[in-house]
Amino acid sequence: MKKYPFDSRGVTQWLAELYSATITYQMMEQEHILLSLRSWLISKFDLSKDQITYIATLSEDFKSNLAREIVFAINNHSPITLDKQTDENRTGLLDRDSVKVTEYESKKKQADVSHVPSITDVGKQFNRHAEGQLMIRIYYKRL
């Protein structure tokens, strides 16, 4: 199984390969993300021991919400951006009053048809449109 670097380029590479994969594979990927975000991250990206430990410190609610946002983005082929402003080589040089922060910003827009399709619409495609963007940020913040 291929692992990607845990940076914006690695996320872009993962998305490109995922979006060119079969629907079945994309659905399996979504199931893995929803089942355990931590396990999925470890299986997909090259993470250091400190990064793996850090993932465990995130609340279950946060990980669950983020997993659902990632799955929504995959379903709609929306861009997912990782804005990682941390440098593990410098963490020892940071003030004791700083803390690592992980947050995400999701922009979604979804529209459905204005009427319920009838039996005469069988040959027509149901018009459902969704678009959005998911930005995941990891940075250090002073307390």
Side-chain angles (χ1 to χ4, degrees):
M1 182 181 314
K2 180 177 180 177
K3 283 194 170 189
Y4 302 89
F6 191 61
D7 56 21
S8 59
R9 187 170 160 217
V11 171
T12 301
Q13 291 171 344
W14 163 71
L15 275 176
E17 289 185 26
L18 179 67
Y19 290 162
S20 66
T22 65
I23 296 296
T24 303
Y25 180 81
Q26 289 180 32
M27 289 173 63
M28 288 176 18
E29 188 87 343
Q30 292 173 41
E31 287 176 25
H32 190 186
I33 292 166
L34 291 171
L35 184 64
S36 173
L37 182 65
R38 179 183 178 276
S39 169
W40 173 76
L41 284 167
I42 292 169
S43 71
K44 285 294 167 190
F45 297 97
D46 285 319
L47 301 174
S48 69
K49 288 180 183 179
D50 287 342
Q51 289 172 321
I52 293 169
T53 301
Y54 176 71
I55 292 168
T57 68
L58 299 172
S59 77
E60 291 304 316
D61 285 343
F62 179 85
K63 289 187 279 193
S64 177
N65 290 338
L66 179 56
R68 285 194 300 271
E69 292 293 340
I70 292 169
V71 166
F72 181 89
I74 291 170
N75 277 328
N76 295 288
H77 287 235
S78 300
I80 299 173
T81 305
L82 175 63
D83 181 10
K84 187 175 151 200
Q85 301 170 4
T86 62
D87 180 356
E88 289 197 345
N89 297 325
R90 291 186 27 201
T91 56
L93 304 174
L94 293 173
D95 295 337
R96 293 184 123 187
D97 293 339
S98 64
V99 63
K100 191 183 236 181
V101 176
T102 301
E103 64 185 13
Y104 64 87
E105 177 182 343
S106 176
K107 296 180 182 176
K108 310 185 245 196
K109 184 168 59 173
Q110 187 169 334
D112 293 327
V113 292
S114 58
H115 70 284
V116 176
S118 68
I119 195 72
T120 58
D121 294 329
V122 170
K124 299 178 185 174
Q125 185 176 8
F126 184 69
N127 184 19
R128 184 173 196 166
H129 178 73
E131 60 185 50
Q133 172 184 346
L134 177 61
M135 169 77 74
I136 303 167
R137 292 185 186 90
I138 303 172
Y139 60 94
Y140 286 96
K141 172 175 130 175
R142 295 192 120 171
L143 296 176

